[in-house]
Amino acid sequence: MRKLVMAAWTTTAALTLVGCDMVASDPDAAAQSGDQAQTAELPEFPDRPYWGDTHLHTDVSVDAFGFGVRLGPEDALKFARGEQVTATTGMPAQLDRPLDFLVIADHSDAMGATRRLFDAPRMLVRDPVLRRWYDLMHEGPEGSQRAIAELITAAANDEIPEALRDPERQAGATRALWDNHLALLERYNQPGTFTAFAGFEWTAMPDGNNLHRVVMFRDNDDRTEQVVPFPGIDTEAEQLWDYMEAYERATGGKVLAIPHNSNLSNGQMFELTGPDGGPMTAAYARRRAAREPVVEATQIKGDSETHPFLSPNDELAGFGIAGWELGNLPLTHTTTPDMLPGSYVRSALKRGLTLEQQTGANPYAFGLIGATDSHTALATGDEDNFFGKHTGNEPKATRAMRPQNLGTRVGRFGWNYLAGGYAAAWARGNTRTEIFDAFMRREVYATTGPRMTVRLFAGFDFAEQDWEGDWVRAGYTRGVPMGGQLTDSGKAPSFLISALKDPDGANLDRVQVVKGWVGADGVAQEQVYDVVWSDMAKRQRNGGKVPAVGDTVDRANASYTNTIGAAELRAAWTDPDYRAGQNAFYYVRVLEIPTPRWVLFDAKRFGLEIPEDVIEQGVAQERAYSSPVWLRPAARPGDAPAIMEGA
């Protein structure tokens, strides 16, 4: 039996339910339930990307409250809508630009448990370990963080006190919290303006290795109230899928799951074998693809696109891996090179092609999104507005250099945290239905925080002259968008690729296409193509490589200038290495010019002296990753009818 980090924690029967975030007042505009308020006629095709965060924690999460957050779901919704709130540490917090949608994904296990422990009479907390954590939490923020670090390590080692392992006692607390949460979401959901999704995080972590999923519902509360969040205790991913399928059968609703932080799974997130260690079956592969249509490619705890060890010919690989490549989340097990292919998205996409050849089905045919995974109730992925992973590293002079590992507190430091990421969904309107359906068809993309506009179409006859007409209509009528699939026609696939800078952000350096395929020898391969880049007349290829764009970052002042790069890049590109019968994927990577990370903003704000190597790590090329397009070989007699469930 796998060890699992999160148990269904509770303390004693005497502890009162207080974790519920009650609604104090109505939003500014009363919202109708679901999508009914969206009355405008929808456009024929998705007309813009809608920006959101699918992975945010509030004081309902056992670890977030323990780390010190005192903001609940209503604060989170207000902040995401663009309103000013007061952060736990007392600072005003507000987004420069509101989000379009939000999933509050509090942990399904132990909902509100640390808050109940904190609020309990000390005399009723008899277990010595719980009493230690109780006392630490009451010491203040420093003690609270130590308590939760100890709790996470104990959970990774399967040493959670028995008093916190009673799922029956937790069930009533979860029901009450969930019901109140759903009512809150209905009041803040404003079709056409802001979408509030129901969701939770399923948190399984065998031996400390991250196998977490965010669960996201499409539906209104008339359906979601028929269930409660599914616990991670003693459950496997297949049981989570059972729960999802039972929900859909019983309610007629829809639900999906989003794996995240594969970079901290020590190779277990994207395995080549089935869950029993034997060969993966086609049925398992199809089921996984259907239940998990997208993955988080980037977030606060590191970027999961690829690793330099896996992509040695990609000079821009390895974004955001510093500190996170050392081991699993609590650093109870070190990462070794053989684990890396099962931990990173690009390798998983290649593994999917290999497994498809073996089984006829692709378990890793997923789209890519970004998210924050913030435990502050503040969904911000902006470098100049970074409020930390948890309240222990909200803005303060010490956070950049302070040890931050959740378990051992060695090996990782504050500056290793990324500012987070966002998900962009190409949809026809800002509603639960439209945005969820964009996720299901994988017409979504990830960014590391900036809001650049990225569009990708694939077909067989796209050319430069398509830009002169209605190229979006051409893309949908003569090809497929990101997330789609083509059947090999014997002709090289061609692509329409468009990238616009974030209107409030940095210029673009380049647009690349990442291709993966299985060669005639059965070995999965990859190639990164520079398709279009700024100032192409001067930046001519040298030895097959495009020269670096330059660097305008003023490290001391945490600033840069848009005197290099381009506001828009687009190209019609045809695969120069196409081979008939190839099973391949293609996704787009868009890079900005170098810009300051939050570490440099902190150094300026607090007048810090930061080591030179950390200052250099404080400059980065933010990026976007589109969902792939897959090129399928033409069907032959006897082939399985489908390789990508839900495509």
Side-chain angles (χ1 to χ4, degrees):
M1 179 65 67
R2 288 177 169 176
K3 298 177 183 177
L4 297 160
V5 160
M6 290 292 184
W9 295 308
T10 185
T11 50
T12 69
L15 300 189
T16 305
L17 173 65
V18 296
C20 177
D21 185 69
M22 301 300 293
V23 180
S25 60
D26 286 335
D28 292 338
Q32 296 185 35
S33 177
D35 294 348
Q36 283 73 33
Q38 177 72 23
T39 57
E41 184 177 348
L42 296 177
E44 182 179 3
F45 305 116
D47 61 340
R48 55 156 285 196
Y50 290 89
W51 293 95
D53 184 10
T54 58
H55 191 174
L56 180 70
H57 295 270
T58 74
D59 66 354
V60 174
S61 284
V62 61
D63 53 351
F65 182 89
F67 277 125
V69 69
R70 298 298 180 262
L71 273 63
E74 186 167 17
D75 297 301
L77 290 161
K78 288 180 176 179
F79 181 82
R81 293 189 340 153
E83 298 177 40
Q84 184 180 102
V85 302
T86 301
T88 295
T89 48
M91 293 172 287
Q94 188 172 18
L95 286 171
D96 289 336
R97 292 171 287 179
L99 295 178
D100 297 309
F101 63 91
L102 180 69
V103 181
I104 296 175
D106 283 314
H107 294 292
S108 60
D109 289 300
M111 280 187 163
T114 41
R115 188 167 199 167
R116 293 192 297 278
L117 174 61
F118 181 88
D119 288 338
R122 188 177 186 277
M123 63 182 293
L124 296 179
V125 185
R126 297 185 176 89
D127 183 281
V129 175
L130 293 185
R131 182 168 288 193
R132 169 177 168 75
W133 292 343
Y134 176 96
D135 289 340
L136 284 171
M137 285 195 291
H138 280 270
E139 284 181 7
E142 298 285 339
S144 189
Q145 292 161 42
R146 288 200 302 275
I148 295 305
E150 290 181 14
L151 187 153
I152 290 171
T153 302
N157 294 327
D158 202 23
E159 296 172 352
I160 289 292
E162 286 300 317
L164 294 184
R165 301 179 66 93
D166 187 343
E168 293 184 6
R169 288 181 175 179
Q170 178 65 24
T174 299
R175 177 81 263 175
L177 284 165
W178 184 244
D179 287 347
N180 280 277
H181 182 63
L182 295 178
L184 178 70
L185 295 178
E186 293 307 310
R187 299 179 71 190
Y188 274 80
N189 187 59
Q190 296 177 288
T193 302
F194 179 79
T195 297
F197 286 99
F200 63 87
E201 180 174 349
W202 177 82
T203 312
M205 195 149 63
D207 296 322
N209 300 316
N210 190 94
L211 294 178
H212 302 182
R213 271 85 164 170
V214 166
V215 176
M216 174 179 169
F217 294 89
R218 183 181 191 252
D219 309 305
N220 305 334
D221 63 348
D222 60 334
R223 287 173 169 152
T224 54
E225 67 185 6
Q226 298 182 43
V227 295
V228 293
F230 186 69
I233 184 172
D234 294 332
T235 63
E236 308 278 345
E238 287 181 286
Q239 292 169 285
L240 175 64
W241 304 337
D242 289 342
Y243 161 88
M244 295 165 65
E245 289 163 2
Y247 168 81
E248 292 185 345
R249 286 194 302 270
T251 69
K254 293 185 179 180
V255 60
L256 59 84
I258 308 170
H260 66 267
N261 279 126
S262 58
N263 60 325
L264 299 176
S265 72
N266 272 346
Q268 293 189 24
M269 186 66 84
F270 306 124
E271 294 182 309
L272 285 167
T273 57
D276 60 356
M280 186 179 292
T281 66
Y284 176 90
R286 289 193 179 92
R287 192 180 187 206
R288 177 160 183 169
R291 300 266 56 97
E292 300 181 356
V294 299
V295 299
E296 270 181 37
T298 190
Q299 62 132 272
I300 280 177
K301 298 195 303 296
D303 191 277
S304 299
E305 186 218 4
T306 192
H307 188 285
F309 179 84
L310 302 170
S311 303
N313 296 321
D314 181 359
E315 72 270 24
L316 295 168
F319 175 85
I321 67 170
W324 306 108
E325 83 279 23
L326 300 175
N328 59 11
L329 180 59
L331 275 179
T332 54
H333 294 281
T334 300
T335 298
T336 54
D338 61 295
M339 299 175 179
L340 295 175
S343 296
Y344 286 87
V345 167
R346 190 186 300 178
S347 290
L349 290 167
K350 292 193 295 183
R351 283 185 162 194
L353 300 181
T354 299
L355 288 164
E356 182 187 324
Q357 284 201 339
Q358 297 170 0
T359 69
N362 185 343
Y364 305 133
F366 42 61
L368 311 184
I369 63 165
T372 67
D373 194 12
S374 170
H375 283 54
T376 63
L378 305 174
T380 170
D382 302 326
E383 300 287 351
D384 61 353
N385 194 28
F386 178 54
F387 269 82
K389 161 70 173 175
H390 52 77
T391 55
N393 61 6
E394 287 189 7
K396 63 180 69 175
T398 57
R399 68 172 177 170
M401 298 307 301
R402 190 173 179 185
Q404 291 290 332
N405 188 59
L406 300 179
T408 63
R409 300 189 66 76
V410 298
R412 294 180 183 136
F413 299 89
W415 64 267
N416 294 142
Y417 283 117
L418 304 185
Y422 285 136
W426 280 103
R428 299 182 303 162
N430 190 356
T431 67
R432 288 172 176 163
T433 298
E434 286 295 319
I435 293 173
F436 184 96
D437 291 353
F439 274 64
M440 285 302 300
R441 66 177 182 267
R442 310 175 187 89
E443 198 173 353
V444 293
Y445 63 96
T447 84
T448 56
R451 303 191 194 183
M452 59 275 273
T453 300
V454 180
R455 202 146 209 180
L456 168 67
F457 293 104
F460 295 107
D461 63 352
F462 292 132
E464 287 292 333
Q465 57 263 33
D466 283 309
W467 299 116
E468 299 172 7
D470 187 346
W471 61 273
V472 171
R473 175 174 293 277
Y476 281 110
T477 57
R478 290 167 31 215
V480 298
M482 64 178 75
Q485 57 177 315
L486 297 170
T487 299
D488 189 7
S489 68
K491 183 178 180 181
S494 55
F495 303 82
L496 291 177
I497 305 167
S498 172
L500 299 173
K501 71 179 286 291
D502 181 331
D504 295 341
N507 281 340
L508 305 178
D509 166 20
R510 68 185 73 188
V511 173
Q512 300 175 308
V513 169
V514 179
K515 177 186 177 182
W517 74 97
V518 178
D521 57 1
V523 177
Q525 302 177 48
E526 67 178 61
Q527 178 70 43
V528 179
Y529 300 89
D530 289 306
V531 172
V532 61
W533 54 96
S534 61
D535 205 5
M536 293 181 71
K538 293 182 179 178
R539 295 172 64 202
Q540 297 187 15
R541 297 180 192 271
N542 183 9
K545 300 290 185 181
V546 173
V549 68
D551 184 347
T552 68
V553 176
D554 180 340
R555 273 90 172 141
N557 290 303
S559 63
Y560 69 97
T561 63
N562 269 331
T563 54
I564 58 175
E568 178 181 11
L569 294 171
R570 66 184 189 183
W573 181 80
T574 300
D575 180 3
D577 299 311
Y578 162 77
R579 298 291 181 273
Q582 273 186 353
N583 195 5
F585 65 81
Y586 304 82
Y587 69 88
V588 166
R589 185 170 67 181
V590 179
L591 287 94
E592 288 186 342
I593 65 172
T595 53
R597 291 187 57 224
W598 66 265
V599 176
L600 296 189
F601 287 103
D602 268 19
K604 180 183 179 183
R605 178 190 304 180
F606 299 114
L608 304 180
E609 292 289 335
I610 294 179
E612 188 63 31
D613 61 329
V614 177
I615 290 177
E616 288 310 303
Q617 292 278 353
V619 176
Q621 286 190 263
E622 305 275 6
R623 52 199 64 194
Y625 310 121
S626 81
S627 291
V629 170
W630 287 265
L631 178 66
R632 297 176 51 189
R636 297 166 298 181
D639 282 352
I643 62 167
M644 289 170 53
E645 200 70 26

